[in-house]
């Protein structure tokens, strides 16, 4: 099987073969967003030859429930209406022996991206891997209650992505027509194609489990180092998956700012490299495995202001060896169902404002925030922006933030 990362990089990223509890890939959300945005630009910059090459690079597709095979793609230009797209990160290693023995296929990262119908905002919601949920009808018997990251396993080799989609549809009440799945090698290839993502550290980060050591300061992360950073749990926050999500959102917000910079968007070679790396390493649903479709989604994304791209973590309470969503999670689903932009009032517990970042101004075109009404009809479309309570943490792409490492003596 072809590999998109060489063995030395893979070994550097994974120091221990069997690490099922420390192996998510939260880069998946915005790397795919990057991919579709990049295709939009590179399709014209690199022209027909590039388009043919990209089409040949697409991996085998996955079929979702209710999907119509062979449906014609939309015309080039911004896709009409809103978009719901699920992205999952698998910890299986895709058979690459460099990652050690990995006998399970878990979606240790599950991210939902919602683009509003008027293309003025995007919300990216991270589902904790250990959150107990109902795994839809694909649970193969039993009551279907299990942790979020088991959906790929329950769905099997050919139906794992579809099972993850059905599970999130059941939780959120949203229809999700697009989906994608990425693995370790894909993260390495994508971060290399981007050319590195700047991430600042306010306390030394040292994690022997993921194999990363970073001193205080700003680091350009790519390749195996980016993978190790995104997988690090022991080296950040309180060592839990929840603090790791906040850490990953720091990376993703920086990635969005990097991709929207003039240097990246004006470089056809870099843009094409990102698009090609995405299509070679990401398994797409049939509905998404078309360059024209990706271009149309990208066109809806490219003009969204940074302060209207929100990264959201579902609020949870402890439950046995996992967590469960609190009642406030329903405010997230209601906002997305109503097609409202999200305004977060609290960042993650271990997120630090970058002291060297220039001040940012609020977009003057942004609408005033309106409180979410728990009794509102979720089928009704409401204008405005929803202020979520402090129990719902995250950040916008406009916020420059840093991560603080966890001392070795606390690991």
């Amino acid at each position: 099987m072809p590999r998109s990362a060489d063995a030395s990089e893979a070994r550097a990223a994974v120091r221990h073969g069997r690490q099922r509890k420390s192996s998510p890939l939260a880069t998946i959300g915005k790397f795919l967003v990057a991919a579709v945005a990049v295709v939009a630009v590179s399709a014209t910059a690199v022209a027909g030859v590039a388009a043919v090459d990209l089409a040949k690079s697409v991996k085998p597709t996955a079929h979702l429930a209710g999907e119509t095979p062979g449906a014609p793609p939309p015309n080039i230009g911004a896709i009409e209406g809103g978009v719901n797209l699920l992205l999952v990160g698998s910890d299986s290693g895709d058979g690459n022996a460099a990652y050690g023995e990995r006998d399970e296929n878990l979606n240790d990262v599950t991210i939902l991206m919602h683009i509003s119908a008027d293309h003025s905002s995007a919300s990216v919601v991270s589902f904790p891997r250990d959150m107990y949920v109902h795994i839809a009808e694909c649970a193969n018997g039993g009551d279907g209650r299990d942790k979020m990251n088991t959906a790929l396993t329950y769905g099997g080799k050919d139906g794992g992505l579809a099972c993850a989609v059905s599970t999130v549809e059941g939780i959120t009440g949203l229809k999700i027509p697009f989906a994608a799945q990425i693995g370790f090698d894909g993260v390495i290839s994508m971060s290399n194609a981007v050319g590195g993502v700047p991430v600042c550290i306010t306390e030394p980060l040292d994690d022997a489990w993921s194999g990363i050591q970073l001193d205080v300061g700003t680091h350009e992360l790519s390749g195996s180092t980016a993978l190790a950073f995104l997988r690090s749990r022991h080296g950040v926050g309180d060592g839990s998956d929840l603090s790791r999500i906040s850490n990953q959102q720091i990376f993703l917000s920086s990635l969005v700012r990097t991709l929207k910079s003039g240097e990246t968007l004006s470089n056809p070679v870099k843009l094409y490299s990102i698009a090609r790396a995405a299509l070679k390493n990401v398994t797409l649903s049939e509905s998404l495995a078309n360059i024209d479709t990706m271009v149309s989604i990208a066109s809806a994304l490219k003009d969204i202001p940074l302060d209207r791209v929100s990264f959201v973590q579902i609020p949870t309470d402890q439950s046995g060896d996992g967590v469960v969503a609190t009642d406030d999670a329903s405010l997230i689903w209601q906002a997305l169902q109503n097609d409202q932009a999200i305004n977060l009032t609290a960042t993650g517990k271990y997120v630090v404002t970058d002291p060297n970042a220039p001040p940012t101004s609020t977009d003057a075109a942004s609408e005033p925030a309106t409180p979410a009404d728990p009794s509102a009809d979720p089928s009704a479309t409401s204008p405005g922006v929803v202020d979520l309570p402090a129990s719902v943490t995250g950040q916008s792409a406009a916020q420059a933030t840093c991560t603080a490492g966890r001392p070795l003596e606390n690991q």
Side-chain angles (χ1 to χ4, degrees):
M1 163 183 318
R3 308 285 187 231
S4 59
D6 62 35
S8 61
E9 268 203 306
R11 284 192 293 271
V14 182
R15 298 288 182 85
H16 302 273
R18 189 185 295 272
Q19 294 178 40
R20 185 170 57 89
K21 289 189 177 295
S22 185
S23 55
L25 308 173
T27 190
I28 185 171
K30 277 306 173 184
F31 271 148
L32 190 66
V33 172
V36 294
V38 158
V39 174
V41 181
S42 61
T44 56
V46 188
V49 173
V52 171
D53 190 20
L54 289 172
K56 291 180 179 178
S57 299
V58 176
K59 294 180 68 175
T61 58
H63 180 68
L64 307 182
E67 192 174 34
T68 303
N75 295 326
I76 296 298
I79 195 168
E80 293 184 5
V83 173
N84 292 319
L85 191 155
L86 190 73
L87 311 110
V88 301
S90 167
D91 75 340
S92 69
D94 293 326
N96 190 338
Y99 297 121
E101 182 183 353
R102 318 192 72 85
D103 54 3
E104 292 185 281
N105 183 25
L106 301 173
N107 48 300
D108 269 355
V109 166
T110 304
I111 293 177
L112 172 66
M113 181 180 72
H114 171 79
I115 304 173
S116 64
D118 64 359
H119 306 163
S120 65
S121 67
S123 302
V124 183
V125 184
S126 295
F127 291 74
R129 64 170 193 179
D130 293 328
M131 186 173 76
Y132 279 104
V133 298
H134 182 74
I135 309 289
E137 296 180 358
C138 47
N140 298 325
D143 62 7
R145 185 178 184 271
D146 210 329
K147 292 182 178 180
M148 183 71 239
N149 69 344
T150 62
L152 277 182
T153 300
Y154 280 122
K157 181 179 179 181
D158 298 322
L161 185 57
C163 187
V165 168
S166 296
T167 297
V168 174
E169 287 181 334
I171 297 169
T172 64
L174 298 169
K175 179 62 179 174
I176 304 173
F178 305 108
Q181 176 181 330
I182 195 172
F184 290 160
D185 283 350
V187 172
I188 291 176
S189 294
M190 289 297 298
S191 61
N192 283 336
V194 169
V197 176
V199 171
C200 71
I201 309 294
T202 58
E203 297 290 340
L205 194 161
D206 191 345
D207 187 345
W209 290 88
S210 69
I212 189 170
Q213 289 181 307
L214 295 175
D215 295 327
V216 172
T218 299
H219 304 265
E220 293 281 341
L221 303 185
S222 63
S224 60
T225 305
L227 174 61
F229 177 81
L230 292 165
R231 294 180 58 239
S232 178
R233 173 169 63 88
H234 297 277
V236 296
D238 61 2
S240 72
D241 180 60
L242 299 179
S243 65
R244 174 168 49 190
I245 289 176
S246 294
N247 187 58
Q248 294 161 344
Q249 290 176 342
I250 290 171
F251 182 95
L252 297 180
S253 63
S254 179
L255 173 62
V256 173
R257 293 192 299 272
T258 299
L259 289 170
K260 287 178 76 70
S261 70
E263 181 180 355
T264 299
L265 296 180
S266 63
N267 187 332
V269 174
K270 181 178 288 189
L271 294 174
Y272 175 63
S273 176
I274 297 171
R276 191 169 187 274
L279 292 174
K280 286 185 66 176
N281 292 283
V282 179
T283 297
L284 304 171
S285 62
E286 293 172 358
S287 56
L288 191 59
N290 182 284
I291 291 176
D292 290 352
T293 301
M294 297 180 75
V295 168
S296 71
I297 295 175
S299 297
L301 283 164
K302 63 185 178 67
D303 294 327
I304 296 177
L306 289 175
D307 67 343
R308 284 292 172 257
V309 179
S310 300
F311 298 94
V312 186
Q313 182 173 163
I314 297 172
T316 57
D317 284 332
Q318 193 68 30
S319 176
D321 63 346
V323 296
V324 293
T326 68
D327 291 343
D328 284 348
S330 64
L331 300 177
I332 304 174
W333 315 139
Q334 181 184 325
L336 300 188
Q337 290 164 7
N338 290 347
D339 205 31
Q340 295 171 304
I342 286 174
N343 182 52
L344 294 160
T345 60
T347 56
K349 183 178 180 181
Y350 299 100
V351 174
V352 181
T353 300
D354 186 350
N356 299 315
T360 57
S361 59
T362 303
D363 181 13
S366 298
E367 298 180 56
T370 55
D373 179 3
S375 65
D377 179 1
S379 65
T381 300
S382 301
V385 181
V386 175
D387 267 334
L388 293 179
S391 62
V392 184
T393 61
Q395 69 174 86
S396 77
Q399 294 174 275
T401 50
C402 303
T403 188
R406 184 181 184 216
L408 283 172
E409 58 267 24
N410 293 341
Q411 297 183 26

